[in-house]
Amino acid sequence: MLKSLLAAAACALLAQSAVAQSYPAKPVRIVVPFPAGGTTDIVARLVGTELQKMWGQPVVIENRGGAGGNIGTDVVAKSPADGYTLLMGTVGTHAINLPLYTQGGGKLPYDPIKDFAPITLVAAVPNVMVVPASLPVNSVKEFIALAKSKPGQLNMASSGNGTSIHLSGELFKSLTKTFMVHLPYRGSAPALQDLIAGNTQVMFDNLPSALPHIRSGRLKALAVTSLERAPALPNVPTIEEAAGLKGFNATSWFGLLAPAGTPREIVAKVHQDVAKVLSAPEMRERFLGQGAAPVGNTPEQFAAFIRSEIDKWTQVVKFSGAKID
């Protein structure tokens, strides 16, 4: 009996190894749980393009937006664990949404820990506080004064409930004792278009998706939400510097995950190949030029990072009083 069990285990290991060696043998789908044009989409396409060259197989980016990223994330959670459906997860889908949706008695359709196999943290980015070029303010202090003079009359756009873009704004409102109406959109791209048009007055967007509009002059960058200034915008202060909000820190991240149960050999291969993509000098320059810092850590490090982020954002959600509108 023991020999039979050992033989079966050995066969299983050999089979998994063979699967990993032949992977990918067909197109790979990376689900982006937000519409095209936002930072999650930008990061996924940068990585997907290079993986397609490396693998010799199509890497298809599929945008499945809605419900603060929950819809697309749930699609991956319930997909076959064979490595052919991956998720570009975010701080929203895997850290913020858990406390945000459950504190009011709700429930996520997926478990951010149990339903996924973390592969690697791809990139980290600061958020940036942006306003339309037409808005008559040029600093965070001027914006706070305007918001206090018009309580409830200014609109704050976000890429959806539960995103770091949403929570950055809620934390700002809480600390500055201002009130703005939160308008969640189905992704950064449509939210930015309404902001540029002046239909909303402020957004705490991920830097990569806002950066082209800042450089074109259609948006004004008042501050970044990280503890340090962003290399892509060296002259833009942090919110702590601009408004004296000590320790203000609300940054975003993006990472690849697979459905739970995906063979470890496949997870290891994808991690190895993505890390190779991110370490290439030209790719690092492209990420940094977009305002993002490439990472590429191990699956174990990424798993520990997700757990720490859930703890961190649970406290932020409680402190800010954020809720699903």
Side-chain angles (χ1 to χ4, degrees), residues 160-174:
N161 284 313
T163 60
S164 73
I165 297 168
H166 171 203
L167 262 291
S168 295
E170 293 293 347
L171 186 60
F172 180 85
K173 288 162 58 177
S174 177

Side-chain angles (χ1 to χ4, degrees), residues 125-128 207 224 226-238 291:
V125 304
N127 291 345
V128 58
L207 180 52
V224 292
S226 48
L227 292 173
E228 298 179 352
R229 294 193 181 196
L233 293 173
N235 296 322
V236 175
T238 65

Side-chain angles (χ1 to χ4, degrees), residues 210-280:
L211 194 56
H213 306 297
I214 295 169
R215 287 172 171 164
S216 72
R218 291 185 290 179
L219 293 176
K220 290 187 284 189
L222 302 186
V224 292
T225 65
S226 48
L227 292 173
E228 298 179 352
R229 294 193 181 196
L233 293 173
N235 296 322
V236 175
T238 65
I239 285 184
E240 179 176 327
E241 291 175 318
L245 301 180
K246 189 171 179 59
F248 193 104
N249 183 25
T251 55
S252 297
W253 53 261
F254 309 88
L256 272 179
L257 304 103
T262 299
R264 285 177 295 176
E265 292 80 5
I266 289 180
V267 169
K269 176 173 173 52
V270 177
H271 161 249
Q272 177 183 342
D273 291 346
V274 172
K276 189 179 298 183
V277 166
L278 296 176
S279 66

